[in-house]
């Protein structure tokens, strides 16, 4: 699952014809997998088959990383060639009570649960009760999925993170209040159902909804609750006695305490969807070792077939690509940070809940896997351990640096424009052409000059790849960025097409570009017909709704709930029906933007504002977040008209500058 998005470093991968390879209906029906694209002739130099050697590698690594990321306790289990080589705990499951982590310590494995859900689906594919290439609605007991594309949504699309829905995190509702609740899946989905807005199979988007609904399909066709199905058909056959979809008294008693980034304990969170196929499983290092052995033994464990080999092959083989050299996903697993795989065929899955984080890494061709859980949601720790593990046991061969090709201005035009991440709406990227090069800019990673490897594939100065994708009309419609410093790798970003202009916005209006941007992003639309009403006013509630959309996290229920509390902080008498003033709007923006106060010293507000609003107005002005009719003079002074009512055109400028594609700070002219 997702950690708090505002601190997400990972929360959690071409040819000219297609970025996403498609399986034929025939191959999906019989459960065949796609050809592997792993690098041939990559040999293991140091098999992880000696417990003492692994300890000599892992002990100092975990000591270093747990200290670096303020982690109190972690489990670590390595399996090789059908055997558990090491299963060890580090630090404390509860630091206050000095209870150490051991192989029986329970963790919430969060999104690692998705691999179990995929396994359950494939079991039913083996039995003929589910087909991967059919419209999934036939397996949902009457539930309907709104679809604007005309292309049916299939289980294959869902399990490969290519469903195309507008709100892939609509199921991400968590909190302590859900630990003891029982919310059935059918009841949940009858109230929370997104819309398919992109052709299924066209673009990769990390997707909690799709796996939750896939679990419901299993529940519906088997006539058994998801939790009972998993217990009977997966956990019990594998001897996973400490694994469950639901909280139980015994597992809660053995669960590692949850800790936040500061090291303070936080409550255990449950899911708004009780049986949450996308992320509610609890397990231990001991149980996960059995699960990984089954994965590496082609679906067999203890002489029993848990799932067919052809189904397991689909779970391990790459199904979705950003480029022929950049795999993204299998059925159930992912392959992000592909450069860290060192040429090996790797299928992995990470997961986060507040206060817990997990990672499972499979290297099937080397009969090796490892799993780790720890009681903090610092995702980068698991990434660091993964990188160190691969470098130690599977060091990379030297790879020749690609030869970069020139990019002419005319050829560059097809890439240019504004793109928005299809999962993280706050991540908006702008592409321009400057001095013979393609330039990308977003607020998270900054500005990058890109070099072309081949048409549709570029790289930044650090070697991170940018892969573009065409839609069925042959137009550039998406790009995928592998930079681990950002969060764009969790989904493709989609090109935003500017909509027809409003009839009441003059061509030369200083506000037109801002209005057009927000219109394209569906943040501020027409007031009536094709009229924007630029001189009209707004209520505090209308501005709050637009602010939440501009902020970009409204698609995450947990974050949306927190943002709504945050943006009214310090505003006396907030009332959705009250007309909004410019000072209230500035304060609401700053409450979410959180520009550091010391940056506001370079500007001076000349007209009167209420005390609670002065700092917010100056903070925004210091970054150039002001409407076109507000001038910041050379000495930093400016007038803002704080107590005037906010006009709709002014709102568009403030929101576009604060949360649009601009990388801040904006240089003052």
């Amino acid at each position: 699952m997702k950690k708090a998005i505002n601190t997400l470093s990972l929360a959690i991968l071409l040819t000219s014809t297609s970025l996403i390879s498609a399986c034929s209906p025939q191959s999906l029906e019989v459960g065949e997998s796609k050809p592997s694209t792993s690098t041939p002739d990559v040999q293991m130099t140091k098999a992880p088959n000696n417990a003492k050697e692994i300890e000599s590698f892992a002990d100092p690594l975990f000591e270093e990383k747990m200290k670096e990321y303020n982690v109190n306790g972690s489990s670590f289990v390595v399996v090789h060639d059908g055997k558990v080589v090491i299963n060890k705990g580090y630090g404390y499951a509860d630091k206050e009570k000095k209870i150490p982590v051991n192989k029986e310590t329970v963790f919430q494995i969060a999104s690692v649960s998705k691999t179990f859900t995929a396994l359950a689906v494939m079991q039913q594919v083996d039995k003929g009760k589910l087909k991967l290439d059919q419209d999934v609605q036939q397996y949902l007991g009457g539930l309907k999925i709104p679809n604007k594309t005309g292309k049916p949504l299939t289980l294959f699309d869902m399990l490969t993170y290519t469903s195309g829905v507008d709100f892939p995190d609509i199921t991400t509702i968590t909190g302590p209040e859900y630990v003891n609740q029982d919310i059935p899946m059918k009841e949940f989905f009858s109230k929370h159902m997104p819309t398919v807005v992109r052709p299924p199979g066209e673009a990769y988007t990390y997707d909690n909804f799709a796996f939750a609904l896939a679990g419901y399909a299993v529940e519906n066709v088997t006539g058994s609750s998801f939790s009972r199905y998993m217990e009977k058909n997966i956990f019990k056959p594998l001897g996973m006695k400490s694994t469950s979809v639901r909280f139980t008294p015994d597992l809660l008693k053995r669960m590692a305490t949850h800790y936040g980034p500061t090291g303070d304990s936080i409550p255990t969170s449950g899911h708004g969807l009780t049986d949450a196929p996308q992320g509610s499983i609890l397990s231990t290092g001991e149980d996960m070792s059995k699960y990984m052995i089954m994965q590496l033994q082609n679906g067999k464990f203890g002489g029993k077939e848990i799932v067919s080999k052809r189904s397991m092959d689909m779970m391990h083989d790459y199904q979705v690509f950003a480029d022929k050299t950049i795999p993204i996903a299998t059925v159930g697993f992912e392959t992000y940070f592909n450069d860290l795989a060192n040429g090996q065929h790797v299928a992995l899955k990470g997961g986060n809940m507040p206060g817990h984080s997990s990672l499972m890494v499979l290297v099937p061709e080397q009969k090796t896997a490892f799993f780790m859980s720890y009681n903090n949601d610092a995702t980068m720790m698991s990434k660091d351990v993964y990188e160190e593990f691969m470098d130690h046991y599977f060091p990379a061969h030297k790879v020749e640096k690609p030869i970069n090709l020139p990019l002419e201005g005319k050829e560059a035009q097809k890439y240019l424009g504004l793109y928005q991440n299809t999962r993280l709406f706050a991540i908006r990227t702008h592409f321009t052409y400057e001095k013979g090069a393609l330039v990308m800019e977003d607020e998270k990673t900054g500005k990058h000059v890109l070099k072309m490897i081949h048409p549709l594939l570029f790289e930044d100065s650090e070697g991170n790849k940018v892969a573009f994708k065409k839609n069925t009309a042959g137009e550039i419609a998406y790009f995928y960025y592998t930079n681990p410093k950002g969060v764009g790798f969790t989904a493709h970003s989609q090109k935003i097409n500017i909509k027809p202009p409003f009839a009441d916005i003059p061509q030369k209006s200083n506000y037109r570009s801002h209005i057009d941007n927000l219109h394209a992003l569906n943040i501020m639309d027409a007031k009536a017909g094709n009229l924007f009403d630029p001189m009209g006013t707004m209520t505090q509630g209308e501005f709050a709704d637009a602010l939440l959309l501009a902020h970009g996290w409204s698609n995450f229920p947990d974050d949306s709930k927190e943002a709504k509390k945050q943006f009214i902080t310090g505003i006396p008498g907030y009332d959705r029906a009250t007309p909004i003033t410019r000072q209230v709007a500035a304060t609401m923006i700053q409450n979410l933007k959180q520009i550091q106060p010391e940056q506001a010293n370079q500007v001076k507000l000349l007209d009167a504002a209420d005390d609670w609003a002065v700092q917010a107005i100056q903070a925004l002005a210091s970054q150039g977040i002001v409407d076109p009719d507000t001038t910041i003079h050379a000495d930093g002074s400016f007038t803002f008209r704080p107590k005037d009512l906010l006009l709709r055109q002014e709102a568009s400028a403030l929101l576009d500058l604060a949360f649009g594609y601009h990388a801040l700070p904006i240089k003052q002219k």
Side-chain angles (χ1 to χ4, degrees):
M1 296 298 292
K2 172 193 64 63
K3 65 183 288 186
I5 288 294
N6 288 333
T7 60
L8 182 67
S9 296
L10 284 182
I12 266 129
L13 303 104
L14 154 138
T15 66
S16 60
T17 57
S18 177
L19 176 61
I20 298 176
S21 302
C23 281
S24 68
Q26 291 80 12
S27 68
L28 292 178
E29 186 170 347
V30 299
E32 293 177 0
S33 62
K34 300 156 68 68
S36 168
T37 59
S38 58
T39 303
D41 300 324
V42 178
Q43 298 299 319
M44 181 165 51
T45 58
K46 197 186 302 182
N49 58 8
N50 183 287
K52 290 185 178 179
E53 190 281 326
I54 294 177
E55 283 188 305
S56 68
F57 156 73
D59 288 0
L61 176 61
F62 274 83
E63 181 180 5
E64 174 192 348
K65 295 302 176 182
M66 288 171 64
K67 182 177 181 180
E68 179 180 350
Y69 292 103
N70 199 22
V71 171
N72 292 306
S74 180
S75 65
F76 182 59
V77 55
V78 177
V79 301
H80 175 71
D81 200 15
K83 298 179 181 178
V84 179
V85 186
I86 186 173
N87 189 354
K88 187 172 183 178
Y90 294 94
Y92 294 107
D94 187 320
K95 68 176 181 180
E96 288 76 22
K97 296 179 181 179
K98 304 298 182 185
I99 300 174
V101 173
N102 59 39
K103 63 182 182 180
E104 298 294 346
T105 301
V106 174
F107 288 89
Q108 291 180 286
I109 67 171
S111 280
V112 179
S113 304
K114 290 179 174 65
T115 69
F116 287 87
T117 299
L119 181 66
V121 170
M122 298 313 295
Q123 286 181 329
Q124 294 307 306
V125 170
D126 288 342
K127 293 179 181 296
K129 290 187 176 182
L130 293 175
K131 292 186 178 182
L132 295 180
D133 61 342
Q134 301 296 305
D135 188 335
V136 70
Q137 290 185 127
Q138 66 183 286
Y139 306 124
L140 302 181
L143 285 176
K144 299 297 182 182
I145 307 169
N147 191 330
K148 295 182 178 181
T149 71
K151 183 179 180 182
L153 176 63
T154 71
L155 281 165
F156 182 77
D157 302 320
M158 294 161 62
L159 297 180
T160 56
Y161 307 86
T162 61
S163 73
V165 298
D166 51 358
F167 295 111
D169 290 282
I170 200 169
T171 58
T172 308
I173 301 173
T174 63
E177 66 270 28
Y178 297 113
V179 170
N180 296 312
Q181 292 197 34
D182 188 353
I183 303 172
M185 281 202 269
K186 188 167 187 177
E187 175 187 326
F188 182 92
F189 285 121
S190 66
K191 300 175 182 177
H192 304 86
M193 186 68 75
T195 299
V196 180
V197 294
R198 290 179 300 278
E202 186 167 276
Y204 162 76
T205 304
Y206 188 87
D207 196 337
N208 281 298
F209 159 77
F211 279 83
L213 194 66
Y216 178 67
V218 171
E219 181 173 285
N220 189 58
V221 301
T222 62
S224 172
S225 73
F226 183 74
S227 57
R228 287 195 298 269
Y229 177 89
M230 300 299 283
E231 174 66 28
K232 178 181 178 181
N233 295 280
I234 296 178
F235 304 152
K236 189 174 182 179
L238 289 175
M240 300 177 72
K241 298 179 181 179
S242 297
T243 302
S244 175
V245 170
R246 294 190 168 207
F247 295 106
T248 67
D250 174 59
L251 296 184
L252 281 170
K253 185 178 180 181
R254 289 191 280 131
M255 183 180 290
T257 300
H258 298 67
Y259 294 97
T262 62
D264 297 323
S265 62
I266 59 176
T268 301
S269 287
H271 293 263
L273 176 59
T274 305
D275 283 357
Q278 79 281 10
S280 67
I281 291 177
L282 300 83
S283 193
T284 65
E286 177 72 8
D287 279 6
M288 290 302 294
S289 68
K290 300 172 184 177
Y291 181 62
M292 290 189 294
I293 288 173
M294 181 275 296
Q295 289 277 341
L296 296 175
Q297 292 182 160
N298 297 316
K300 293 182 179 180
F301 185 83
K304 295 174 288 187
E305 183 177 87
I306 307 301
V307 72
S308 70
K309 181 181 183 301
R310 63 186 180 184
S311 287
M312 189 57 69
D313 285 344
M314 292 194 76
M315 293 185 66
H316 293 169
D317 290 348
Y318 304 142
Q319 311 289 345
V320 178
F321 298 82
D323 175 83
K324 62 183 179 181
T325 62
I326 307 173
I328 303 179
T330 74
V331 168
F333 288 91
E334 297 174 280
T335 59
Y336 50 79
F337 303 143
N338 191 57
D339 288 347
L340 303 185
N342 294 344
Q344 297 287 341
H345 184 109
V346 172
L348 56 78
K349 192 74 199 74
N352 287 79
M353 282 288 286
H356 278 189
S357 186
S358 296
L359 176 67
M360 179 170 60
V361 176
L362 305 179
V363 194
E365 293 170 2
Q366 305 293 0
K367 301 179 181 180
T368 298
F370 81 80
F371 176 81
M372 60 187 291
S373 287
Y374 48 97
N375 50 8
N376 185 313
D377 51 15
T379 311
M380 296 302 283
M381 174 174 154
S382 58
K383 171 187 170 290
D384 287 359
V385 171
Y386 168 49
E387 182 174 9
E388 294 284 349
F389 184 91
M390 297 303 295
D391 285 349
H392 185 75
Y393 292 106
F394 314 107
H397 289 201
K398 185 178 180 180
V399 178
E400 292 186 10
K401 187 174 177 59
I403 298 174
N404 298 126
L405 303 176
L407 179 65
E408 300 297 331
K410 184 177 180 180
E411 178 69 13
Q413 293 302 308
K414 61 186 179 184
Y415 304 108
L416 307 187
L418 176 64
Y419 295 71
Q420 183 176 47
N421 192 273
T422 56
R423 183 195 183 201
L424 310 174
F425 298 166
I427 306 302
R428 299 163 189 143
T429 307
H430 198 229
F431 286 89
T432 56
Y433 183 71
E434 300 176 14
K435 300 178 181 179
L438 192 62
V439 177
M440 70 179 296
E441 183 178 19
D442 68 57
E443 186 177 353
K444 185 72 176 178
T445 65
K447 194 170 185 177
H448 303 274
V449 177
L450 306 179
K451 295 181 179 180
M452 186 167 68
I453 298 173
H454 63 71
L456 303 183
L457 183 64
F458 294 74
E459 65 178 353
D460 64 19
S461 61
E462 297 180 353
N464 299 307
K465 303 300 188 296
V466 178
F468 289 90
K469 179 195 184 309
K470 295 179 179 180
N471 58 20
T472 54
E475 302 166 332
I476 297 293
Y478 307 96
F479 82 89
Y480 184 82
Y481 189 30
T482 64
N483 190 339
K485 296 178 182 177
V487 289
F489 61 85
T490 65
H492 273 102
S493 291
Q494 185 171 10
K495 195 170 189 178
I496 300 300
N497 296 315
I498 298 299
K499 299 176 181 178
F502 293 108
D504 56 349
I505 306 299
Q507 177 71 34
K508 295 184 179 180
S509 169
N510 290 330
Y511 291 90
R512 179 161 179 165
S513 65
H514 301 302
I515 292 170
D516 287 347
N517 284 342
L518 266 62
H519 187 206
L521 292 166
N522 298 314
I523 293 170
M524 288 185 70
D525 292 323
K527 188 71 174 178
N530 190 33
L531 301 177
F532 183 74
D533 188 21
M535 303 303 291
T537 60
M538 306 177 71
T539 66
Q540 291 183 359
E542 288 172 333
F543 183 78
D545 293 342
L547 172 61
L548 198 61
L549 292 173
H551 183 232
W553 304 117
S554 60
N555 53 317
F556 290 91
D558 288 352
D559 291 275
S560 178
K561 182 179 178 180
E562 291 303 313
K564 288 177 181 178
K565 294 178 183 178
Q566 185 177 339
F567 65 55
I568 63 174
T569 301
I571 299 175
Y574 173 79
D575 177 21
R576 285 186 58 85
T578 299
I580 191 167
T581 61
R582 289 165 58 84
Q583 67 177 356
V584 170
T587 304
M588 291 172 72
I589 291 173
Q590 172 61 2
N591 281 344
L592 291 186
K593 194 68 182 176
Q594 293 290 296
I595 296 169
Q596 295 303 310
E598 60 266 21
Q599 295 175 321
N601 294 334
Q602 60 186 287
V603 295
K604 181 180 180 182
L605 179 62
L606 296 178
D607 45 358
D610 289 334
D611 290 344
W612 50 265
V614 172
Q615 191 176 81
I617 294 169
Q618 294 191 153
L620 296 188
S622 72
Q623 298 286 318
I625 303 174
V626 293
D627 57 276
D629 290 327
T630 297
T631 301
I632 301 176
H633 302 292
D635 64 355
S637 64
F638 70 104
T639 58
F640 189 72
R641 297 177 287 113
K643 299 186 180 182
D644 286 1
L645 293 181
L646 179 75
L647 304 181
R648 281 173 56 83
Q649 66 178 10
E650 295 168 350
S652 73
L654 293 178
L655 293 174
D656 187 35
L657 288 168
F659 301 107
Y661 60 81
H662 300 275
L664 299 177
I666 299 170
K667 294 181 179 179
Q668 298 299 312
K669 296 182 180 179

